[in-house]
Amino acid sequence: MVVEFGERAHAAQRWSARVSLASAGVAVLLPVGYAGAASVLLVGVIVGGTGLTAAAVWWVLTRRGAARAGAVALAVATPLTVLGFFDAANLLWLVLVSAALWALAVWTGRTALSSTGATPAPAMTEYETAPPLRPFLIMNPRSGGGKVGRFGLREKAERLGARVLLLDTGRHQDVAALARTAADDGADLLGVAGGDGTQALVAAVAAERGLPFLVISSGTRNHFAMDLGLDREDPAACLDALTDGVELHVDLGSAGGHPFVNNASFGAYAAVVQSPAYRDDKVRTTLELLPELLTHERGPLLTATATATDGTPVTVTGPQALLVSNNPYRTEDPAGLGFRERLDSGALGLLGVRVDSAAEAAGLLRGRQSAGLTVLTADEVTVDADRAEIEVGVDGEALVLPTPVRCRIEPGALRVRVPRNRPGVPAVKPPLDWRRLRKLAATVGRTAVARRGRPAG
């Protein structure tokens, strides 16, 4: 039965590879066969239209008044004009069919490659520890639109033996001081139901005192909870860790001495969120401030220096945006953007964007091959500027820090207690490798993948 199942799996893998190659071939050959020499024009119109749309978006962000209105019109009109051109030439169906075939080729190709038996990245190590006896949880009743009350988090936590402190939303409270007081009073676990900024502050206290930390996914975005594999749809499930949980030893980042569990941002975004008007009208405030920030008429001129983990020294001069993350974000798979596969690699991620013209904005469509994009991992990143202080967004919290700002990472500094059963982080889809797909498609029988415990051969 096991052999039969294995044969079916291998056959499915081979046919996925074959369908991928066939779909890609037809997606390319169909326009050539139907449109002939006009297919070159078809490709040129698509590439030109895409580039012009990207340039128009850049002008929308960097212009005001009539120039911005014209750029908006161009950004909308360009793709509509391209579609109208294809429709008038009776080629629209051809473009849609080719696009669908290419999407099928990508999907089936990644399906075949993801089942090749390649060793996946190892999961974070789980440590068995005894349940806490005196857990202390801080809960923000407003976080995530009132998830604390909606999911009955306080009631469930107290039933499980935790002491819960509800923040007074009418006044500022120092959550780090509250956590330290609880630790002094004998708490053997600290936890937070709140946003990532609050999570980071209490996490730093837990790391400082050597206590386990509990994450409750009651924030708006819950990026840290997502990368820990927690259930973001049901925050109450996170509380199961109090009775049936394991520990993960994860890294903790810091920027200028301020802890972060996700990232620290510099440049345009960090400056925009400093505006008092941002919380009341995010879109209008962003559009009002971006033109001067993106063209360097306002804001600091940033310089980031780092040594990549492979030993290469890197300097990023004049970026409009910098993101330093606690472990690198995925960049290979568009569907995985915003995810971190691990939180215990001991390295920072650095993403820098510099665009000085509409042409360079269009060039960002090339992804990691773009000259305006810097992506690397490093042990430490130093961000300097042409002024004594700069705006920094630390896990979404707006700060102003003296320069230079040194971003560091403390490997394994944080003991995070999580439920034994949790959804997990979405698996990484491998990048397309046409050479490997050809080999898979040509294989016969069980040679497509390795037998369990044996090399393929």
Side-chain angles (χ1 to χ4, degrees), residues 106-153:
V106 171
W107 181 69
T108 53
R110 287 186 168 179
T111 298
L113 292 172
S114 63
S115 58
T116 56
T119 303
M124 289 189 287
T125 302
E126 296 181 352
Y127 297 87
E128 295 285 346
T129 58
L133 300 177
R134 301 188 63 187
F136 175 79
L137 307 179
I138 296 174
M139 297 189 178
N140 182 350
R142 284 189 180 178
S143 182
K147 289 182 180 178
V148 168
R150 195 158 68 248
F151 288 91
L153 300 182

Side-chain angles (χ1 to χ4, degrees), residues 134-138 163 175-191 202 204-212:
R134 301 188 63 187
F136 175 79
L137 307 179
I138 296 174
R163 183 160 67 96
V175 294
L178 293 172
R180 288 192 180 92
T181 299
D184 291 339
D185 291 341
D188 59 355
L189 176 143
L190 301 175
V202 179
V205 176
E208 168 191 308
R209 298 298 183 90
L211 297 175

Side-chain angles (χ1 to χ4, degrees), residues 6-95:
E7 291 288 1
R8 288 201 304 268
H10 300 155
Q13 178 195 51
R14 292 195 301 276
W15 280 107
S16 291
R18 290 167 182 172
V19 169
S20 177
L21 292 172
S23 299
V26 175
V28 172
L29 295 176
L30 181 61
V32 175
Y34 182 84
S39 61
V40 177
L41 176 62
L42 185 149
V43 173
V45 170
I46 293 175
V47 172
T50 303
L52 184 57
T53 302
V57 171
W58 168 256
W59 290 321
V60 169
L61 299 176
T62 57
R63 301 291 190 271
R64 288 194 177 91
R68 172 175 283 167
V72 170
L74 182 62
V76 173
T78 299
L80 293 178
T81 301
V82 170
L83 292 176
F85 170 81
F86 290 141
D87 188 41
N90 196 29
L91 294 174
L92 183 57
W93 70 270
L94 186 63
V95 174

